[in-house]
Amino acid sequence: MHMATYSKGLEGVIAAETKLSFIDGEKGVLEYIGIPIGELASKSTFEETVLFLWDGHLPKAPALREFTTQVRDRYELPPALEAMLTSLPKTAEPMHAVRTLVSALGMFDPKPDAIDHASLRDKALTILAVVPTILAYFHRYRKGMALVRPDKNFGLAENFLYMLNGVRPTPTMARAMDVCLILHADHGFNNSTFSARSIASTESDIYSAITGAIGSLRGPLHGGANEGVMKMLNQIPTVADAEKFIVDKLTKKDKIPGFGHRVYKSYDPRAAHLKSLAEQLARDTGNISLFEKSTAIEGVMNREKAAKGIYPNVDFYSATTYHCIGLPLDMFTPTFVIARAGGWSAHVMEQLANNRLFRPDVDYTGPHAVAYTAIEGR
Amino acid sequence: MHMATYSKGLEGVIAAETKLSFIDGEKGVLEYIGIPIGELASKSTFEETVLFLWDGHLPKAPALREFTTQVRDRYELPPALEAMLTSLPKTAEPMHAVRTLVSALGMFDPKPDAIDHASLRDKALTILAVVPTILAYFHRYRKGMALVRPDKNFGLAENFLYMLNGVRPTPTMARAMDVCLILHADHGFNNSTFSARSIASTESDIYSAITGAIGSLRGPLHGGANEGVMKMLNQIPTVADAEKFIVDKLTKKDKIPGFGHRVYKSYDPRAAHLKSLAEQLARDTGNISLFEKSTAIEGVMNREKAAKGIYPNVDFYSATTYHCIGLPLDMFTPTFVIARAGGWSAHVMEQLANNRLFRPDVDYTGPHAVAYTAIEGR
């Protein structure tokens, strides 16, 4: 099939088949292998959701037990990787650090290049287990704080907050972190997932694919957007200032961080779930003004922009949620990496189960048959 | 534009516009900004070709002088990056090492995320200058040999061979390396270039884009293929054994490394140029039997497969060339990184000059509206 025209950014172009996640942007539906995201967010755990994505069915109790045990057994980093981590420049942005260290992880694997399903699943499990440790360790290292070793008694979300903050999180916080990870685990052919599948399609290793995906996720047009929401909330002194702040921005035709999505033209189902989570956390942690500023912004945007299909996206209420959980601003996007590592790995496995190298065409718009002019004649 | 059907691997789907390189697979044409590849390979240098790709026109003498001076001034690694390099596992495959160290390079840049054209070009220049040093240093480090510092009196190709082997290459070898880099600098939307543009389209940094591209290039369906050719040549004892070896493989329906290309249905113009280069080098370095094995294989393949449009690709004669230059087998693909760093960077700049986020659709083939079953009920 050759097309004379093309769709910029491949918008509307089908790039592959998937059985992993389904999005209906008009109706505001997101399903993982058929199960609505709200069901999983309220009833599942992150570990179970990831296992569901990798194996294609909800696990029975023994399989889930085996999986969570394996994940907990792999929380710790190889000592040489920890040594590398604690020699990185302390000024580095965490996303640059985690991209580099996941890439480096491939060098500590005796068979990094194996791409049969069992090997991929095993390597994905290691990546899933160590990414929270990499992030928590790097954060404490750069701040000059002693590293807090992982605790195998805790699930992935709780253990991450424990290693990061040095204190065991409250059950509400641990559960909120877990729900955030479920909500962010997979989302169709977002750019990082697509880039991971594209890299994997050369039959390269899973470390290469996930490293590339981390590089993609940090872009401001992708996962980097949630930090913009928090920065905006910090710029608005009180709830009473929200209306004027937003109207001024709209008048100047500035974009409002956390609103609008290339796919959703109605309410993002993840945002709906995060909104109630953010409210509860904000009350529990004395941050209710942050939540109220957010709802005030949503009110203005609803009045001005809902007719155009512009609603809060997943980034909008995750900002308040992450802040209340105690995540520093530049750990928002890295935390997204923890969740999406589950989805990316599922997509790499799906791609390689029925692979075809991604190699699109280009529309060449330059000159032809130009002579090489010697340097004296230019 | 929404399509009900899709083309697997995006084959035949136009993904973007470019003015950088043009391929006519039927006629066996490759041009960089209109200039036939054979012209550049016989008359240009790698540095000039890269500058041509980045700036869109052949440089005048002062601009080329400034560029080559800047590249030479940046051959050395930041000391902390060198320290990281000399603490990597010595067993690591060079491609995993260079992917990790290019990613790490972003942490030594005080403004890694700047994506205005001038910043991108400046960062691309640093990446171009340090990749050969990373590769040569890592190779000598893993072999327990003293590092050989770069020499600013040498151009990029000559300096790479000097740092790698510890002796100044002959003019023929240095020129052969330079020509190989020119031939491999760019090639339309091959997977690594496409992956680099996809990552860059999130407005992420150039280190992320190039790191992802390196991860793609190492795949056996992409840049990893040239190592397969050398392994095959090593399996054939003498020229007289080539015919039987290939016929046996064809009978078993095995693929022959170095033959066939998704795009070219006639003679790859790069292969034509490499063939004469390989012959000259093989004679000069006492490896003529390697070249003769190659032409014997080509003879059999021509008789059996040319009617099906299967010809030698760029990997086929680059194997003999690289071997004669003194590159170890697992440095073949890394050497490809040196060349393609020029093309990838040009594509990242082109993408961001007129950006649109890559976010294709998927064809979801899984179930819908599935209930979450509690674990006891599974």
Side-chain angles (χ1 to χ4, degrees), chain A residues 114-136:
Chain A
I115 57 167
D116 60 287
H117 182 78
S119 296
L120 286 174
R121 193 175 175 290
D122 185 64
K123 294 171 200 309
L125 200 153
T126 301
I127 294 169
L128 186 80
V130 301
V131 164
T133 315
I134 288 172
L135 292 172

Side-chain angles (χ1 to χ4, degrees), chain B residues 116 227 315 324 377:
Chain B
D116 60 286
E227 299 183 4
D315 299 316
C324 295

Side-chain angles (χ1 to χ4, degrees), chain B residues 140-209:
Chain B
R140 293 186 72 87
Y141 154 71
R142 68 174 172 158
K143 297 292 181 191
M145 296 186 283
L147 305 189
V148 175
R149 303 286 158 190
D151 189 327
K152 286 188 192 183
N153 293 306
F154 301 157
L156 190 143
E158 184 169 14
N159 181 55
F160 171 59
L161 294 178
Y162 168 67
M163 292 187 296
L164 186 75
N165 297 323
V167 289
R168 190 171 178 179
T170 66
T172 309
M173 281 187 188
R175 178 60 190 157
M177 183 76 255
D178 202 48
V179 171
C180 283
L181 296 178
I182 294 170
L183 293 173
H184 285 84
D186 196 39
H187 203 249
F189 266 24
N190 59 87
N191 185 280
S192 56
T193 301
F194 175 59
S195 297
R197 285 184 77 132
S198 175
I199 293 169
S201 80
T202 69
E203 298 186 359
S204 189
D205 63 293
I206 190 168
Y207 302 100
S208 288

Side-chain angles (χ1 to χ4, degrees), chain A residues 321-374:
Chain A
T321 306
Y322 287 163
H323 179 80
C324 295
I325 289 174
L327 295 183
L329 182 62
D330 68 356
M331 294 296 284
F332 284 19
T333 313
T335 301
F336 198 162
V337 174
I338 301 174
R340 202 47 70 84
W344 291 330
S345 297
H347 278 277
V348 169
M349 291 181 230
E350 185 176 62
Q351 178 67 33
L352 288 170
N354 185 5
N355 190 41
R356 174 81 171 143
L357 177 69
F358 281 100
R359 200 196 194 293
D361 272 4
V362 280
D363 182 13
Y364 178 76
T365 58
H368 287 291
V370 175
Y372 177 89
T373 317

